[in-house]
Amino acid sequence: MKSRQKKIHLAPLGAETNSPRSIFRTSKNNRKDDDIRKLGKRLRKRDGVAKVLIKCRSEFSALSQAHHSHVRESTIAIYAAALLLVEDRSSWAEFCRHRDWRKRKRLAPRVGHSEDALRASVRLAVGFKGKRATRRSSRLYKLLEPFFARATPMREVAAITRDRGLKGLAEVGATFKNNKKAASKAKRRPACRFTLEEKMATKILSATAGTKIHLYGRVKKLKNGGVEITVRKIK
């Protein structure tokens, strides 16, 4: 029995159509490792990063909203490009010199700041026409930033996007942010430090489980917001 899965073909870089189909020309988001490697090769070609990102513009321009199922593969390409730019200094330097930045010096990325690779990749892919492009760029950046900050492998981002769509990608990114906030909040909690004499420590350690112990001592506030308790008496 022949497989029903269609072959995946990359569209020509020079194509300027406004077709809603993906730049990867795939219908069901089913991509193999070979296709991911092809994307990597295209990005690593001379000036390839900028060309691939600019090719995404036709899709974004043809859609009323950026978070649409047809831009899933373009979103993956943007994330892959940003990771490559961080890893490859020469590609990043070439990307920063691309002609599209010459008339937009305020938005242009700087060679010494590769941490802006994601923001610049999103902006170049979306384009610069009006407030709609600015809003769309902001949404896509916020969507991918949690993964970019954690240096999440491209294959993982691609898998989430294809299995759960951009909505699912946003949900996973939100959990990253919530976990980060919780960890940051835990770090800000004031420390509580006890000072015990050796005899008191021995008494506490020798107590059986369930024994109630009353501590009496002096409390001192620390500069970091925590407290230091010096135990004077135990009952």
Side-chain angles (χ1 to χ4, degrees), residues 63-169:
L63 299 169
S64 60
Q65 294 183 357
H67 287 227
H68 191 282
S69 60
H70 291 300
V71 299
R72 291 179 182 179
E73 299 296 341
S74 294
T75 302
I76 295 171
I78 291 171
Y79 185 75
L83 290 183
L84 172 64
L85 292 173
V86 171
E87 296 171 358
D88 191 331
R89 292 184 180 181
S90 61
S91 294
W92 173 243
E94 190 173 357
F95 179 80
C96 292
R97 294 192 298 267
H98 192 266
R99 61 182 179 275
D100 275 36
W101 300 118
R102 294 172 188 171
K103 295 181 180 180
R104 303 172 181 86
K105 294 183 178 180
R106 185 176 63 84
L107 300 174
R110 293 172 290 176
V111 176
H113 293 270
S114 59
E115 67 273 10
D116 295 330
L118 178 62
R119 191 182 299 277
S121 296
V122 169
R123 191 71 217 208
L124 192 65
V126 172
F128 307 93
K129 293 183 179 180
K131 294 182 179 180
R132 175 179 289 183
T134 301
R135 290 194 296 268
R136 186 169 291 163
S137 174
S138 177
R139 287 198 298 269
L140 280 171
Y141 174 77
K142 290 178 180 179
L143 177 69
L144 294 172
E145 193 279 331
F147 301 92
F148 185 73
R150 294 166 59 96
T152 305
M154 192 266 283
R155 293 176 188 277
E156 293 184 20
V157 174
I160 296 170
T161 305
R162 290 164 190 150
D163 293 342
R164 302 174 56 184
L166 297 182
K167 183 178 180 181
L169 195 67

Side-chain angles (χ1 to χ4, degrees), residues 49-58 98-100 124-125:
V49 176
K51 286 182 179 178
V52 171
L53 292 175
I54 290 173
K55 179 61 188 72
C56 296
R57 288 186 192 175
S58 60
H98 192 266
R99 61 182 179 275
D100 275 36
L124 192 65

